[in-house]
Amino acid sequence: MASSKKGALHLLTTLVFLALATTVFSQLSPNFYDYSCPAALNTIQRVVRAAVNKEKRIGASLLRLHFHDCFVNGCDGSLLLDPTSTIDSEKNALANINSARGFEVVDQIKSAVDKACGRPVVSCADILAVAAKDSVVALGGASWKVQLGRRDSTTASRSQANADIPAPNFNLQQLIDNFNRQGLNEKDLVALSGGHTVGLAKCQNFKDRIYNDTNIDPNFAQQLKRRCPRTGGDTILSPLDSTTKSFDTAYFSDLVKQRGLLRSDQALFNGGSTDSLVKQYSYNSYAFSNDFGESMIKMGNIKPLTGNQGQIRLNCRTVN
């Protein structure tokens, strides 16, 4: 009887150890590539810096790719997969088609980092996470410790992308609900929306706002109407904030002045629960930088594939 109890106790201890080990080893870590490829992060940074120096807008595009990847079944590189007979590509989702860009830069990073590592070691999902951080830094924003160790998915879902990526006409409650479904709170919503301090948006995404909304500065609306006609001109681009090539707090200052470009932007400062945070970020760049970094880390932890899950793609556009 005593020996059977000992055996049972030993089995239980072993199972607990294995469970803990699985938990420990499945966690993301900023040091994940320290031994397998010490040159990985510097290589990614070098390619991103060169791309941003060539075209400032690409920094916003790379940041957006990471966001749109993480919001669809987690941060797994699924957005990068091209359409095939078995892949219903997220590139064709409403929020991405003729809009998401920067895929060629991701290809350049993948090629350079694989060469630096001597073999495919760094996942495409991790490349997106690091490139997002390096883009923010290249545009004048603060850095953060990117958690690493994600693996790449072998599937994609256009329908899930259509359902999960927030739309530019969302109101505050829709935004809060959308972020909550990803495990993100109101602070994350406001901080991550600050990514709109860089980049451009198409006329089709703000046309209804400038011609119909009342919570918009009249001079700002008039200025936009000269660029974006009531009919036609859907692909004409306008900056998301007044300093679109710099990662700063102008986005929030603009919201306080009712000069948010998208309806979903101005929803953050429209008499609701997020007003105070928008106001704080508008004059406290340290608070914004700190919270943005924390929220990027939190977003990067949405359902990552780790351990033996998924794969390390040889080509970010295709499954191995």
Side-chain angles (χ1 to χ4, degrees):
M1 188 71 150
S3 61
S4 64
K5 279 186 177 178
K6 279 184 180 178
L9 183 60
H10 176 72
L11 177 62
L12 181 61
T13 303
T14 302
L15 290 172
V16 169
F17 172 79
L18 287 173
L20 287 172
T22 301
T23 302
V24 169
F25 291 118
S26 67
Q27 294 301 305
L28 303 181
S29 161
N31 308 312
F32 188 82
Y33 297 109
D34 281 6
Y35 297 103
S36 61
C37 186
L41 300 187
N42 285 338
T43 302
I44 297 172
Q45 182 186 65
R46 174 175 55 79
V47 179
V48 170
R49 276 184 177 173
V52 173
N53 284 338
K54 186 177 177 182
E55 183 204 4
K56 294 288 187 184
R57 185 186 171 200
I58 205 68
S61 300
L62 291 171
L63 175 60
R64 187 168 181 253
L65 287 184
H66 181 45
F67 182 95
H68 282 206
D69 180 45
C70 289
F71 263 56
V72 185
N73 294 323
C75 311
D76 59 3
S78 58
L79 171 59
L80 302 174
L81 290 171
D82 284 341
T84 68
S85 57
T86 57
I87 299 289
D88 192 10
S89 179
E90 292 164 25
K91 292 179 179 180
N92 291 330
L94 293 174
N96 296 323
I97 192 165
N98 299 320
S99 172
R101 58 195 298 276
F103 298 111
E104 294 79 9
V105 177
V106 174
D107 293 339
Q108 292 169 19
I109 296 170
K110 177 65 173 167
S111 176
V113 82
D114 283 358
K115 184 178 179 181
C117 299
R119 64 194 195 285
V121 174
V122 183
S123 68
C124 300
D126 273 352
I127 285 174
L128 287 181
V130 178
K133 182 266 295 180
D134 289 340
S135 293
V136 168
V137 173
L139 292 168
S143 185
W144 62 90
K145 286 279 188 183
V146 179
Q147 302 293 304
L148 301 164
R150 300 169 192 81
R151 287 168 66 84
D152 298 321
S153 70
T154 56
T155 61
S157 176
R158 179 170 55 128
S159 60
Q160 204 64 48
N162 284 332
D164 289 345
I165 297 174
N169 61 348
F170 270 10
N171 62 35
L172 181 59
Q173 193 56 56
Q174 288 172 312
L175 289 169
I176 290 171
D177 292 344
N178 178 275
F179 273 63
N180 281 344
R181 286 195 295 273
Q182 302 291 350
L184 301 171
N185 58 31
E186 286 188 30
K187 186 171 85 168
D188 300 317
L189 163 62
V190 180
L192 291 173
S193 294
H196 280 183
T197 188
V198 290
L200 307 168
K202 289 181 180 178
C203 176
Q204 64 188 23
N205 290 322
F206 60 84
K207 181 179 294 188
D208 194 46
R209 166 163 165 71
I210 64 174
Y211 284 100
N212 296 306
D213 289 5
T214 56
N215 62 340
I216 186 169
D217 174 73
N219 292 329
F220 180 60
Q222 197 58 43
Q223 170 191 328
L224 289 169
K225 287 174 185 176
R226 286 195 288 268
R227 290 182 54 81
C228 181
R230 193 182 288 270
T231 56
D234 285 355
T235 59
I236 294 171
L237 296 168
S238 283
L240 283 160
D241 87 348
S242 52
T243 60
T244 190
K245 293 181 180 179
S246 299
F247 201 92
D248 53 26
T249 59
Y251 168 79
F252 298 105
S253 301
D254 288 347
L255 295 187
V256 172
K257 299 170 188 172
Q258 291 194 319
R259 294 171 72 91
L261 184 66
L262 304 179
R263 186 171 282 162
S264 58
D265 289 327
Q266 196 60 56
L268 300 177
F269 192 82
N270 193 41
S273 56
T274 53
D275 279 17
S276 58
L277 200 50
V278 168
K279 191 169 281 189
Q280 181 189 4
Y281 290 159
S282 73
Y283 61 77
N284 190 333
S285 59
Y286 174 80
F288 168 55
S289 295
N290 184 69
D291 289 355
F292 183 80
E294 287 184 359
S295 292
M296 285 295 289
I297 292 169
K298 191 172 174 182
M299 184 182 78
N301 277 320
I302 298 175
K303 296 187 289 187
L305 300 175
T306 57
N308 293 320
Q309 299 173 311
Q311 59 183 210
I312 304 297
R313 282 190 218 135
L314 305 178
N315 179 336
C316 290
R317 295 172 180 266
T318 60
V319 174
N320 295 348

CSV table of all heavy atoms in Angstrom, one decimal, residues 25-28 32-33 69 72-78 123 125-126 148-155 300-313:
chain,number,residue,atom,x,y,z
A,25,PHE,N,8.5,26.9,-20.6
A,25,PHE,CA,9.2,26.9,-21.9
A,25,PHE,C,8.3,27.4,-23.0
A,25,PHE,O,8.8,27.7,-24.1
A,25,PHE,CB,9.7,25.5,-22.3
A,25,PHE,CG,10.8,25.0,-21.4
A,25,PHE,CD1,10.7,23.9,-20.6
A,25,PHE,CD2,12.0,25.7,-21.4
A,25,PHE,CE1,11.8,23.5,-19.8
A,25,PHE,CE2,13.1,25.3,-20.6
A,25,PHE,CZ,13.0,24.2,-19.8
A,26,SER,N,7.0,27.6,-22.7
A,26,SER,CA,6.1,28.1,-23.8
A,26,SER,C,6.0,29.6,-23.7
A,26,SER,O,5.4,30.3,-24.5
A,26,SER,CB,4.7,27.5,-23.7
A,26,SER,OG,4.1,27.9,-22.5
A,27,GLN,N,6.6,30.2,-22.6
A,27,GLN,CA,6.5,31.7,-22.4
A,27,GLN,C,7.4,32.4,-23.4
A,27,GLN,O,8.5,31.9,-23.8
A,27,GLN,CB,6.9,32.1,-21.0
A,27,GLN,CG,5.9,31.5,-20.0
A,27,GLN,CD,4.5,32.1,-20.2
A,27,GLN,OE1,4.3,33.3,-20.3
A,27,GLN,NE2,3.6,31.2,-20.2
A,28,LEU,N,7.0,33.5,-23.9
A,28,LEU,CA,7.8,34.4,-24.7
A,28,LEU,C,8.9,35.0,-23.9
A,28,LEU,O,8.7,35.3,-22.7
A,28,LEU,CB,7.0,35.4,-25.4
A,28,LEU,CG,5.8,34.9,-26.3
A,28,LEU,CD1,5.1,36.1,-27.0
A,28,LEU,CD2,6.3,33.9,-27.4
A,32,PHE,N,15.0,35.2,-26.4
A,32,PHE,CA,14.8,34.0,-27.0
A,32,PHE,C,15.9,33.6,-28.1
A,32,PHE,O,16.2,32.4,-28.2
A,32,PHE,CB,13.4,34.0,-27.7
A,32,PHE,CG,13.0,32.7,-28.3
A,32,PHE,CD1,12.4,31.7,-27.4
A,32,PHE,CD2,13.2,32.3,-29.6
A,32,PHE,CE1,12.0,30.5,-27.9
A,32,PHE,CE2,12.8,31.1,-30.1
A,32,PHE,CZ,12.2,30.2,-29.3
A,33,TYR,N,16.4,34.6,-28.8
A,33,TYR,CA,17.4,34.3,-29.8
A,33,TYR,C,18.8,34.6,-29.4
A,33,TYR,O,19.7,34.5,-30.3
A,33,TYR,CB,17.1,35.1,-31.1
A,33,TYR,CG,15.7,34.8,-31.7
A,33,TYR,CD1,14.6,35.7,-31.6
A,33,TYR,CD2,15.5,33.6,-32.3
A,33,TYR,CE1,13.4,35.4,-32.1
A,33,TYR,CE2,14.3,33.3,-32.9
A,33,TYR,CZ,13.2,34.2,-32.8
A,33,TYR,OH,12.0,33.8,-33.3
A,69,ASP,N,-2.1,41.5,-37.7
A,69,ASP,CA,-1.8,40.0,-37.5
A,69,ASP,C,-2.3,39.5,-36.1
A,69,ASP,O,-3.0,38.5,-36.1
A,69,ASP,CB,-0.3,39.8,-37.6
A,69,ASP,CG,0.1,38.4,-37.4
A,69,ASP,OD1,-0.6,37.5,-38.0
A,69,ASP,OD2,1.1,38.1,-36.7
A,72,VAL,N,-6.1,38.7,-35.4
A,72,VAL,CA,-6.8,37.6,-36.0
A,72,VAL,C,-6.1,36.3,-35.6
A,72,VAL,O,-5.0,35.9,-36.1
A,72,VAL,CB,-6.7,37.8,-37.6
A,72,VAL,CG1,-7.5,36.7,-38.2
A,72,VAL,CG2,-7.2,39.1,-38.0
A,73,ASN,N,-6.7,35.6,-34.7
A,73,ASN,CA,-6.2,34.4,-34.1
A,73,ASN,C,-4.8,34.5,-33.5
A,73,ASN,O,-4.1,33.5,-33.5
A,73,ASN,CB,-6.2,33.3,-35.2
A,73,ASN,CG,-7.6,32.9,-35.7
A,73,ASN,OD1,-8.5,32.9,-34.9
A,73,ASN,ND2,-7.8,32.7,-37.0
A,74,GLY,N,-4.5,35.6,-33.0
A,74,GLY,CA,-3.2,35.8,-32.3
A,74,GLY,C,-2.1,36.2,-33.2
A,74,GLY,O,-2.2,36.2,-34.4
A,75,CYS,N,-0.9,36.5,-32.6
A,75,CYS,CA,0.3,36.9,-33.3
A,75,CYS,C,1.0,35.8,-33.9
A,75,CYS,O,2.0,35.2,-33.3
A,75,CYS,CB,1.2,37.7,-32.4
A,75,CYS,SG,0.3,39.0,-31.4
A,76,ASP,N,0.6,35.3,-35.1
A,76,ASP,CA,1.1,34.1,-35.6
A,76,ASP,C,1.6,34.2,-37.1
A,76,ASP,O,1.9,33.2,-37.8
A,76,ASP,CB,0.1,33.0,-35.5
A,76,ASP,CG,-1.2,33.3,-36.3
A,76,ASP,OD1,-1.3,34.4,-36.9
A,76,ASP,OD2,-2.2,32.5,-36.2
A,77,GLY,N,1.7,35.4,-37.6
A,77,GLY,CA,2.2,35.6,-39.0
A,77,GLY,C,1.2,35.2,-40.0
A,77,GLY,O,1.5,35.2,-41.2
A,78,SER,N,-0.1,35.0,-39.6
A,78,SER,CA,-1.1,34.5,-40.6
A,78,SER,C,-1.4,35.5,-41.7
A,78,SER,O,-1.7,35.2,-42.8
A,78,SER,CB,-2.4,34.1,-39.9
A,78,SER,OG,-2.9,35.2,-39.2
A,123,SER,N,11.0,33.4,-36.6
A,123,SER,CA,9.7,33.2,-37.2
A,123,SER,C,9.3,34.5,-37.9
A,123,SER,O,9.7,35.6,-37.5
A,123,SER,CB,8.7,32.8,-36.2
A,123,SER,OG,8.4,33.9,-35.2
A,125,ALA,N,6.3,35.7,-37.5
A,125,ALA,CA,5.5,36.4,-36.5
A,125,ALA,C,6.4,37.2,-35.6
A,125,ALA,O,6.0,38.4,-35.3
A,125,ALA,CB,4.8,35.4,-35.7
A,126,ASP,N,7.6,36.7,-35.3
A,126,ASP,CA,8.5,37.5,-34.5
A,126,ASP,C,9.1,38.7,-35.3
A,126,ASP,O,9.3,39.8,-34.7
A,126,ASP,CB,9.7,36.6,-33.9
A,126,ASP,CG,9.3,36.0,-32.6
A,126,ASP,OD1,8.3,36.3,-32.0
A,126,ASP,OD2,10.1,35.1,-32.2
A,148,LEU,N,9.8,37.4,-27.4
A,148,LEU,CA,10.1,36.6,-28.6
A,148,LEU,C,9.9,35.1,-28.4
A,148,LEU,O,9.8,34.7,-27.2
A,148,LEU,CB,11.5,36.9,-29.1
A,148,LEU,CG,11.8,38.4,-29.4
A,148,LEU,CD1,13.3,38.6,-29.5
A,148,LEU,CD2,11.1,38.7,-30.7
A,149,GLY,N,9.8,34.4,-29.5
A,149,GLY,CA,9.6,32.9,-29.4
A,149,GLY,C,8.3,32.5,-30.0
A,149,GLY,O,8.0,31.3,-29.9
A,150,ARG,N,7.6,33.4,-30.8
A,150,ARG,CA,6.4,33.0,-31.5
A,150,ARG,C,6.8,32.0,-32.7
A,150,ARG,O,7.9,32.1,-33.2
A,150,ARG,CB,5.7,34.2,-32.1
A,150,ARG,CG,5.3,35.2,-31.0
A,150,ARG,CD,4.8,36.5,-31.7
A,150,ARG,NE,4.6,37.5,-30.7
A,150,ARG,CZ,5.6,38.3,-30.2
A,150,ARG,NH1,6.9,38.0,-30.7
A,150,ARG,NH2,5.4,39.2,-29.3
A,151,ARG,N,5.9,31.2,-33.0
A,151,ARG,CA,6.1,30.4,-34.2
A,151,ARG,C,4.9,30.8,-35.2
A,151,ARG,O,4.0,31.4,-34.9
A,151,ARG,CB,6.0,28.9,-33.9
A,151,ARG,CG,7.4,28.5,-33.2
A,151,ARG,CD,7.3,27.1,-32.6
A,151,ARG,NE,7.2,26.1,-33.6
A,151,ARG,CZ,8.2,25.5,-34.3
A,151,ARG,NH1,9.4,25.9,-34.1
A,151,ARG,NH2,8.0,24.5,-35.1
A,152,ASP,N,5.1,30.3,-36.5
A,152,ASP,CA,4.2,30.7,-37.5
A,152,ASP,C,3.0,29.8,-37.7
A,152,ASP,O,3.2,28.6,-37.7
A,152,ASP,CB,5.0,30.9,-38.8
A,152,ASP,CG,6.1,31.9,-38.8
A,152,ASP,OD1,5.8,33.0,-38.1
A,152,ASP,OD2,7.2,31.7,-39.3
A,153,SER,N,1.9,30.3,-38.0
A,153,SER,CA,0.7,29.5,-38.3
A,153,SER,C,0.8,28.8,-39.7
A,153,SER,O,1.6,29.3,-40.5
A,153,SER,CB,-0.6,30.3,-38.3
A,153,SER,OG,-0.6,31.2,-39.4
A,154,THR,N,0.0,27.8,-39.9
A,154,THR,CA,0.0,27.2,-41.2
A,154,THR,C,-1.4,27.4,-41.8
A,154,THR,O,-1.7,26.8,-42.9
A,154,THR,CB,0.2,25.6,-41.1
A,154,THR,OG1,-0.8,25.1,-40.1
A,154,THR,CG2,1.6,25.3,-40.5
A,155,THR,N,-2.2,28.3,-41.2
A,155,THR,CA,-3.5,28.6,-41.7
A,155,THR,C,-3.7,30.2,-41.6
A,155,THR,O,-3.0,30.9,-41.0
A,155,THR,CB,-4.6,28.0,-40.9
A,155,THR,OG1,-4.5,28.4,-39.5
A,155,THR,CG2,-4.5,26.5,-40.9
A,300,GLY,N,1.2,41.7,-28.2
A,300,GLY,CA,2.1,40.7,-28.8
A,300,GLY,C,1.9,39.3,-28.1
A,300,GLY,O,2.4,38.3,-28.6
A,301,ASN,N,1.3,39.3,-26.9
A,301,ASN,CA,1.1,38.1,-26.2
A,301,ASN,C,-0.3,37.4,-26.5
A,301,ASN,O,-0.6,36.4,-25.9
A,301,ASN,CB,1.2,38.3,-24.7
A,301,ASN,CG,2.6,38.3,-24.2
A,301,ASN,OD1,3.4,37.5,-24.6
A,301,ASN,ND2,2.9,39.2,-23.3
A,302,ILE,N,-1.0,37.9,-27.5
A,302,ILE,CA,-2.3,37.3,-27.8
A,302,ILE,C,-2.1,36.0,-28.5
A,302,ILE,O,-1.5,36.0,-29.6
A,302,ILE,CB,-3.1,38.3,-28.8
A,302,ILE,CG1,-3.4,39.6,-28.0
A,302,ILE,CG2,-4.4,37.6,-29.2
A,302,ILE,CD1,-4.1,40.6,-28.9
A,303,LYS,N,-2.4,35.0,-27.9
A,303,LYS,CA,-2.4,33.6,-28.4
A,303,LYS,C,-1.2,33.2,-29.3
A,303,LYS,O,-1.4,32.8,-30.4
A,303,LYS,CB,-3.7,33.3,-29.2
A,303,LYS,CG,-5.0,33.4,-28.3
A,303,LYS,CD,-6.2,32.9,-29.1
A,303,LYS,CE,-6.6,34.0,-30.1
A,303,LYS,NZ,-7.9,33.6,-30.8
A,304,PRO,N,0.0,33.4,-28.8
A,304,PRO,CA,1.1,33.1,-29.7
A,304,PRO,C,1.3,31.5,-29.8
A,304,PRO,O,0.9,30.8,-28.9
A,304,PRO,CB,2.3,33.7,-28.9
A,304,PRO,CG,1.9,33.6,-27.5
A,304,PRO,CD,0.4,33.9,-27.5
A,305,LEU,N,1.8,31.1,-30.9
A,305,LEU,CA,2.1,29.7,-31.1
A,305,LEU,C,3.6,29.5,-30.6
A,305,LEU,O,4.4,30.3,-30.9
A,305,LEU,CB,2.1,29.3,-32.6
A,305,LEU,CG,0.7,29.4,-33.2
A,305,LEU,CD1,0.8,29.1,-34.7
A,305,LEU,CD2,-0.3,28.5,-32.6
A,306,THR,N,3.8,28.6,-29.7
A,306,THR,CA,5.1,28.4,-29.1
A,306,THR,C,5.5,26.9,-29.1
A,306,THR,O,4.6,26.0,-29.4
A,306,THR,CB,5.2,28.9,-27.7
A,306,THR,OG1,4.2,28.3,-26.9
A,306,THR,CG2,5.0,30.4,-27.6
A,307,GLY,N,6.7,26.6,-28.6
A,307,GLY,CA,7.1,25.2,-28.5
A,307,GLY,C,7.1,24.5,-29.8
A,307,GLY,O,7.8,24.9,-30.7
A,308,ASN,N,6.3,23.4,-29.9
A,308,ASN,CA,6.2,22.6,-31.1
A,308,ASN,C,5.0,23.0,-32.0
A,308,ASN,O,4.7,22.4,-33.0
A,308,ASN,CB,6.2,21.1,-30.8
A,308,ASN,CG,7.5,20.7,-30.2
A,308,ASN,OD1,8.6,21.1,-30.6
A,308,ASN,ND2,7.4,19.8,-29.2
A,309,GLN,N,4.3,24.1,-31.6
A,309,GLN,CA,3.1,24.5,-32.4
A,309,GLN,C,3.6,25.2,-33.6
A,309,GLN,O,4.6,25.9,-33.6
A,309,GLN,CB,2.3,25.4,-31.5
A,309,GLN,CG,1.7,24.8,-30.3
A,309,GLN,CD,1.0,25.9,-29.4
A,309,GLN,OE1,1.5,26.9,-29.1
A,309,GLN,NE2,-0.2,25.6,-29.0
A,310,GLY,N,2.8,25.1,-34.7
A,310,GLY,CA,3.1,25.9,-35.9
A,310,GLY,C,4.4,25.4,-36.5
A,310,GLY,O,4.9,24.3,-36.4
A,311,GLN,N,5.1,26.4,-37.1
A,311,GLN,CA,6.4,26.1,-37.8
A,311,GLN,C,7.2,27.4,-37.9
A,311,GLN,O,6.7,28.5,-37.6
A,311,GLN,CB,6.1,25.6,-39.2
A,311,GLN,CG,5.4,26.5,-40.1
A,311,GLN,CD,5.0,25.9,-41.4
A,311,GLN,OE1,4.9,26.6,-42.4
A,311,GLN,NE2,4.9,24.6,-41.5
A,312,ILE,N,8.5,27.3,-38.3
A,312,ILE,CA,9.2,28.5,-38.7
A,312,ILE,C,9.2,28.5,-40.2
A,312,ILE,O,9.9,27.6,-40.8
A,312,ILE,CB,10.7,28.4,-38.2
A,312,ILE,CG1,10.7,28.2,-36.6
A,312,ILE,CG2,11.5,29.6,-38.6
A,312,ILE,CD1,10.1,29.3,-35.8
A,313,ARG,N,8.5,29.4,-40.8
A,313,ARG,CA,8.4,29.4,-42.2
A,313,ARG,C,9.7,29.7,-42.9
A,313,ARG,O,10.5,30.6,-42.5
A,313,ARG,CB,7.3,30.5,-42.7
A,313,ARG,CG,5.9,30.0,-42.5
A,313,ARG,CD,4.9,30.9,-43.2
A,313,ARG,NE,3.7,31.1,-42.3
A,313,ARG,CZ,3.1,32.2,-42.0
A,313,ARG,NH1,3.6,33.3,-42.5
A,313,ARG,NH2,2.1,32.2,-41.2
